Each structure stands twice: as structure tokens, then as C-alpha cells.
Amino acid sequence: MSKTPAGTLYRGREGMWSWVGHRVTGVAIFFFLLVHVLDTALVRVSPDAYNAVIATYKNPFMALLEAGLVAAIVFHAFNGLRVILIDFWKKGPKYQAKMLWGVIGLWVVVMVPFLIRHLSLAFTGGH
Amino acid sequence: MAVSTEIQAPRSGRIAPEYTRHGRSKGNFEMGAWLFMRLSGVVLVVLIFGHLFVNLMVGEGVHAIDFGFVAGKWADPFWQVWDLSMLWLAMLHGTNGVRTIINDYAEKDGTRITLKTILYVASAVIVVLGTLVIFTFDPCPAGAAAELLPSFCQA
Ligand code: HEM
Ligand code: HEM
């Protein structure tokens, strides 16, 4: 017998894809955070150790990875607020699909200025 | 075919034993976890957006980050409490989220128990380490070159 559950209204469309996106970003952020606490812990080793590792992050390639991370966080955050509204707001379930477009809209509104600022800082080299 | 979007009320009451992946009832734990995901989520939006804004957008952005930058922030109890709350909430939220995902996909008891054990050990190590780092941080370690340290170390 097929292992795929059949005939749920949740399959496909906005509800499912936002859920997939929420899962994938959640796991990605979690693994980032494990590494991030480890590299921050280098401040307890020595100022040199911390600065040396952080210096390797300050290049255009890492700037793109950071942009990807921020894109993931911003989506997860806004979609998380959407999930909370679906659960607690009376009209939430009715507007869930519309709210996903709201999430995407807000995501663009936050990401565009962020990318302009972050990438111009990263590609112009600072000091 | 038009897809009907009418959402039926969820089935409530007892779940037939063949559909549960654990033996006994877990009491209110799952309800607490569900609520915690939502409450911590709201707080994390503020903490993480603030963290990213201050560390990436203000001044020189990432270029400003070095030992002196961290020392300057953690000299202020405000940022110590900020980072400590962010550490604990994000780690508990993330660990619980990954636990849910393991429960969803790992169908064999052995696999599930192994993966969750690894998850809990890794999370505990990171939370303890991160907490110790904030509480034992020394902004002016002896023997370090003065130019790497925040300016208040000379005083
Ligand atoms: C590329 C983006 C990021 C940069 C450049 C960055 C940078 C930093 C820096 C410089 C610190 C040292 C203390 C401070 O400044 O407050 C720090 C600490 C911390 N960051 Fe981030 N961060 C980033 C993203 C994130 C994200 C997305 C999260 C949450 C999921 C996060 C969670 C934390 C936590 C919990 C600490 C405290 C660590 C400890 O207790 O040792 N950071 N980060
Ligand atoms: C920025 C603020 C955040 C908000 C508003 C938020 C919101 C939420 C909500 C409401 C859920 C529950 C979804 C459900 O029960 O269907 C959730 C799940 C999850 N979150 Fe977050 N979250 C945030 C930050 C984070 C961070 C920093 C991490 C990683 C450390 C993370 C990792 C996860 C994971 C792994 C799940 C489980 C996904 C699943 O079961 O499909 N979240 N989040």
C-alpha cells in the first residue's frame, strides 16, 4: 500500500508549501545556530582566535550565505506569525492563503533594503 | 476539477492505537510544547531582528564585528540579557521543532530514540556552552594585545 496519505485538503497549494518552507528554514536555522554559538565561544579562547575566525567570514561569498540565512529567518519569522494567527485569530483559517501572500510581500519589503545595505557593505570592503 | 476548500473540524477524542507512535499518554506535555512554540516565536522575532539589525545594518555592519565589538556589547547587562534570552528561547524552540520532525519521519523506534538522544545531547551542550560564555566573558583578558581589546581596558 502507498505510504502517502490520500485525500487530505492540506495537500498541495499554499497550506502545504508554506509548511514545507517553514520546516526547511527551521532546520537550517537550527544547524546554523549550533555552529554560531561555537564560533562565538571563541571569545573565551582568545581575542586572536575569535578575530581570526570572524575575519574569514568577511568576504563576498560569506556575505551571500549570510543573505541566505537572513532570507530564511525572515520567511520563518513572518510565516510563524501567520501560523500563530491561523491558530489564535477567529478569521485566521479563512485568510490563511491571503496571509501567505502577506508574508511574501513583507518578506520582499524587508529583504530588498537589507540586501542593498548588506551587500554594498560586503562588496565595498569596509575598512 | 475544482478543489473544495471547506475545512472539516479535526477529529477529536481518542486516537486509535495503530496511529500513535508512543505507548502511554504524554499528559499535557505536547500541549505545553505547542504553546511554547508560539509564545517563544513571538519573542524571538523581536530578539533576532534586533540582533541582526545591530550586528549587520548599523555602522559598518559585519566589518565592525571583532573581539572589541563583542566586548563592548557584553559590557552592558542589557545585551547580556538579550543574548541569553535569545540563546535559550531559540535553542528550546529549535530543539522542540527538530524533535517534532524526527517524530514525523523516523518510524522505527530505534532510529527515533537514537536521533532524539543525539539532538538532546547536542542542544544541552550548546545551551550550557553559550550560557557559560556570556557569564564568564572577560573583556580584558591578561596578555592580549591592547589594540585587540575595547578601549575601556586601558583605564
Ligand atoms: C549573519 C548573521 C549574524 C551575525 C553576523 C551574528 C553575530 C553575532 C555576534 C557578533 C555575537 C556576539 C555577541 C553579540 O553581538 O550580541 C552573536 C551572538 C549570538 N547570536 Fe548571532 N549573529 C547572526 C545571526 C544570528 C541568528 C540568526 C541567531 C538566532 C537564531 C543568532 C543568535 C545568537 C546568540 C544566541 C548569541 C549568543 C551566543 C552565546 O551565548 O555565546 N545570531 N552573534
Ligand atoms: C524568528 C522568530 C520565529 C518565529 C515567529 C517562529 C515560529 C514558529 C512556529 C509558530 C512554529 C510552529 C509551527 C507548527 O506548529 O506548525 C515553528 C516551528 C519551528 N521552528 Fe520556529 N520560529 C522562529 C524562530 C525559529 C528559530 C530561531 C529556529 C531555529 C533555531 C526555529 C526552528 C523551528 C523548527 C525546526 C520548527 C519545526 C517545524 C515543523 O515542525 O515543521 N524557529 N516556528
Side-chain angles (χ1 to χ4, degrees), chain B residues 15-51:
Chain B
I15 298 167
E18 62 270 33
Y19 295 118
T20 62
R21 286 194 182 142
H22 55 84
R24 305 150 282 108
S25 151
K26 283 187 187 159
N28 283 329
F29 177 77
E30 292 301 338
M31 174 66 190
W34 181 91
L35 196 61
F36 172 76
M37 290 307 274
R38 279 138 188 86
L39 294 177
S40 59
V42 173
V43 182
L44 280 169
V45 175
V46 178
L47 293 176
I48 295 179
F49 280 26
H51 183 65

XYZ file of all heavy atoms in Angstrom, chain B residues 15-51:
295
model
N -7.171 8.663 19.890
C -6.571 8.248 18.629
C -6.391 6.737 18.680
O -5.893 6.197 19.677
C -5.214 8.945 18.423
C -5.426 10.463 18.354
C -4.508 8.450 17.167
C -4.154 11.262 18.475
N -6.825 6.059 17.627
C -6.695 4.602 17.596
C -5.231 4.219 17.776
O -4.346 4.882 17.233
C -7.226 4.059 16.270
N -4.957 3.150 18.570
C -3.583 2.812 18.949
C -2.646 2.639 17.762
O -1.463 2.970 17.855
C -3.730 1.489 19.717
C -5.176 1.286 19.958
C -5.958 2.263 19.156
N -3.159 2.147 16.618
C -2.241 1.923 15.488
C -1.724 3.230 14.911
O -0.783 3.242 14.130
C -2.888 1.049 14.408
C -4.127 1.622 13.741
C -5.434 1.234 14.446
O -5.429 1.081 15.686
O -6.458 1.101 13.747
N -2.349 4.361 15.260
C -1.879 5.644 14.730
C -0.996 6.412 15.698
O -0.549 7.511 15.392
C -3.069 6.516 14.319
C -3.836 5.911 13.165
C -5.164 5.539 13.304
C -3.195 5.712 11.947
C -5.856 4.973 12.250
C -3.882 5.135 10.893
C -5.215 4.768 11.040
O -5.886 4.200 9.999
N -0.778 5.905 16.867
C 0.122 6.613 17.773
C 1.487 5.955 17.680
O 1.589 4.751 17.444
C -0.348 6.547 19.240
O -0.362 5.185 19.628
C -1.720 7.157 19.413
N 2.543 6.758 17.866
C 3.879 6.166 17.793
C 4.497 6.033 19.176
O 5.656 5.753 19.327
C 4.777 6.990 16.870
C 4.376 6.761 15.429
C 5.417 7.275 14.507
N 4.955 7.077 13.125
C 5.161 7.931 12.166
N 5.827 9.026 12.409
N 4.740 7.701 10.946
N 3.742 6.309 20.183
C 4.269 6.116 21.533
C 3.216 5.360 22.322
O 2.031 5.355 21.965
C 4.573 7.449 22.202
C 3.391 8.375 22.229
N 2.434 8.295 23.196
C 3.020 9.352 21.376
C 1.510 9.208 22.945
N 1.831 9.870 21.841
N 3.676 4.703 23.390
C 2.774 3.866 24.144
C 1.770 4.640 24.985
O 0.583 4.735 24.667
N 2.274 5.235 26.066
C 1.356 5.845 27.021
C 1.011 7.280 26.627
O 1.620 7.868 25.773
C 2.008 5.892 28.412
C 2.480 4.577 28.930
C 3.688 4.782 29.837
N 4.918 5.019 29.082
C 5.535 6.170 28.986
N 5.077 7.223 29.600
N 6.641 6.286 28.287
N 0.100 7.841 27.354
C -0.249 9.243 27.170
C 0.895 10.114 27.683
O 1.574 9.776 28.640
C -1.509 9.557 27.972
O -1.503 10.908 28.365
N 1.129 11.247 27.032
C 2.184 12.136 27.500
C 1.593 13.291 28.297
O 2.222 14.324 28.472
C 2.993 12.667 26.317
C 3.970 11.643 25.773
C 4.837 12.291 24.725
C 5.703 11.272 24.027
N 6.165 11.779 22.726
N 0.346 13.142 28.728
C -0.251 14.185 29.543
C -0.331 15.484 28.783
O -0.649 15.497 27.599
N 0.001 16.570 29.454
C -0.112 17.874 28.820
C 1.164 18.346 28.177
O 1.264 19.486 27.755
C -0.555 18.916 29.855
C -2.038 18.785 30.118
O -2.799 18.396 29.236
N -2.439 19.073 31.345
N 2.167 17.484 28.094
C 3.457 17.930 27.581
C 3.344 18.478 26.165
O 3.851 19.552 25.859
C 4.488 16.802 27.635
C 5.795 17.206 27.053
C 6.672 18.012 27.787
C 6.162 16.848 25.755
C 7.871 18.428 27.232
C 7.357 17.269 25.199
C 8.211 18.049 25.949
N 2.650 17.741 25.286
C 2.564 18.183 23.887
C 1.818 19.506 23.764
O 2.155 20.352 22.937
C 1.902 17.115 23.008
C 2.742 15.848 22.828
C 4.115 16.102 22.187
O 4.286 17.134 21.508
O 5.011 15.261 22.395
N 0.806 19.684 24.605
C 0.068 20.948 24.601
C 0.979 22.097 25.033
O 0.998 23.170 24.434
C -1.126 20.804 25.572
C -1.912 22.063 25.792
S -2.763 22.587 24.290
C -3.306 24.208 24.819
N 1.776 21.842 26.078
C 2.716 22.863 26.542
C 3.734 23.193 25.458
O 4.046 24.363 25.223
N 4.220 22.149 24.780
C 5.217 22.360 23.732
C 4.618 23.181 22.587
O 5.254 24.086 22.044
C 5.735 21.019 23.220
N 3.393 22.868 22.239
C 2.692 23.584 21.155
C 2.578 25.067 21.504
O 2.884 25.945 20.702
C 1.308 22.949 20.981
C 0.448 23.525 19.901
C 0.396 23.107 18.602
C -0.495 24.599 20.025
N -0.522 23.862 17.915
C -1.087 24.775 18.743
C -0.898 25.423 21.074
C -2.057 25.755 18.501
C -1.862 26.388 20.822
C -2.431 26.556 19.558
N 2.163 25.342 22.740
C 2.007 26.724 23.179
C 3.362 27.426 23.249
O 3.511 28.583 22.827
C 1.325 26.737 24.557
C 0.744 28.078 24.999
C -0.334 28.531 24.014
C 0.139 27.936 26.401
N 4.361 26.708 23.754
C 5.700 27.292 23.860
C 6.231 27.723 22.489
O 6.850 28.788 22.352
C 6.674 26.307 24.514
C 8.101 26.791 24.469
C 8.543 27.786 25.328
C 8.989 26.284 23.525
C 9.835 28.264 25.249
C 10.286 26.758 23.439
C 10.719 27.752 24.306
N 5.994 26.908 21.448
C 6.465 27.254 20.098
C 5.908 28.610 19.678
O 6.591 29.419 19.049
C 6.051 26.196 19.070
C 6.765 24.874 19.187
S 8.533 25.013 19.208
C 8.898 25.014 17.458
N 4.650 28.859 20.018
C 4.012 30.101 19.606
C 4.468 31.293 20.435
O 4.768 32.368 19.894
C 2.486 29.920 19.661
C 1.990 29.217 18.410
C 0.945 28.154 18.607
N 0.713 27.435 17.345
C 1.438 26.396 16.934
N 2.429 25.917 17.692
N 1.192 25.822 15.780
N 4.540 31.112 21.774
C 4.968 32.221 22.627
C 6.430 32.580 22.352
O 6.786 33.746 22.181
C 4.785 31.854 24.114
C 3.329 31.658 24.554
C 3.267 31.238 26.020
C 2.530 32.943 24.350
N 7.294 31.549 22.286
C 8.709 31.836 22.049
C 8.883 32.461 20.668
O 9.716 33.351 20.481
C 9.550 30.564 22.170
O 9.125 29.587 21.247
N 8.081 32.031 19.700
C 8.175 32.588 18.351
C 7.978 34.089 18.344
O 8.770 34.829 17.744
N 6.956 34.554 19.060
C 6.671 35.994 19.076
C 7.856 36.765 19.674
O 8.297 37.788 19.131
C 5.376 36.273 19.885
C 5.167 37.770 20.048
C 4.176 35.643 19.197
N 8.401 36.258 20.784
C 9.520 36.951 21.425
C 10.768 36.894 20.530
O 11.513 37.875 20.411
C 9.806 36.336 22.817
C 10.939 37.081 23.511
C 8.546 36.357 23.670
N 10.974 35.745 19.878
C 12.169 35.587 19.038
C 12.184 36.552 17.853
O 13.256 36.979 17.413
C 12.286 34.146 18.534
C 12.856 33.144 19.540
C 12.674 31.708 19.049
C 14.336 33.417 19.815
N 11.021 36.898 17.333
C 11.001 37.862 16.230
C 11.725 39.142 16.673
O 12.616 39.646 15.985
C 9.560 38.209 15.795
C 9.580 39.302 14.729
C 8.849 36.988 15.251
N 11.364 39.636 17.861
C 11.965 40.874 18.358
C 13.461 40.676 18.610
O 14.302 41.455 18.153
C 11.253 41.325 19.652
C 11.898 42.586 20.209
C 9.766 41.535 19.391
N 13.803 39.595 19.338
C 15.207 39.386 19.723
C 16.101 39.200 18.492
O 17.177 39.800 18.389
C 15.320 38.154 20.626
C 14.672 38.269 22.009
C 14.782 36.948 22.762
C 15.327 39.383 22.829
N 15.672 38.373 17.543
C 16.537 38.062 16.397
C 16.600 39.229 15.414
O 17.679 39.582 14.936
C 16.084 36.758 15.703
C 16.268 35.582 16.669
C 16.882 36.512 14.426
C 15.829 34.244 16.114
N 15.455 39.873 15.150
C 15.503 41.026 14.253
C 16.391 42.121 14.853
O 17.164 42.769 14.158
C 14.095 41.557 13.940
C 13.365 40.753 12.877
C 13.656 39.406 12.652
C 12.375 41.338 12.096
C 12.981 38.665 11.670
C 11.688 40.599 11.107
C 11.990 39.274 10.910
N 16.299 42.325 16.163
C 17.152 43.318 16.829
C 18.626 42.942 16.700
O 19.475 43.779 16.392
N 18.924 41.662 16.935
C 20.293 41.149 16.845
C 20.858 41.381 15.439
O 21.973 41.889 15.273
C 20.259 39.652 17.155
C 21.581 38.942 17.188
N 22.553 39.229 18.122
C 22.072 37.935 16.424
C 23.595 38.421 17.906
N 23.334 37.635 16.880
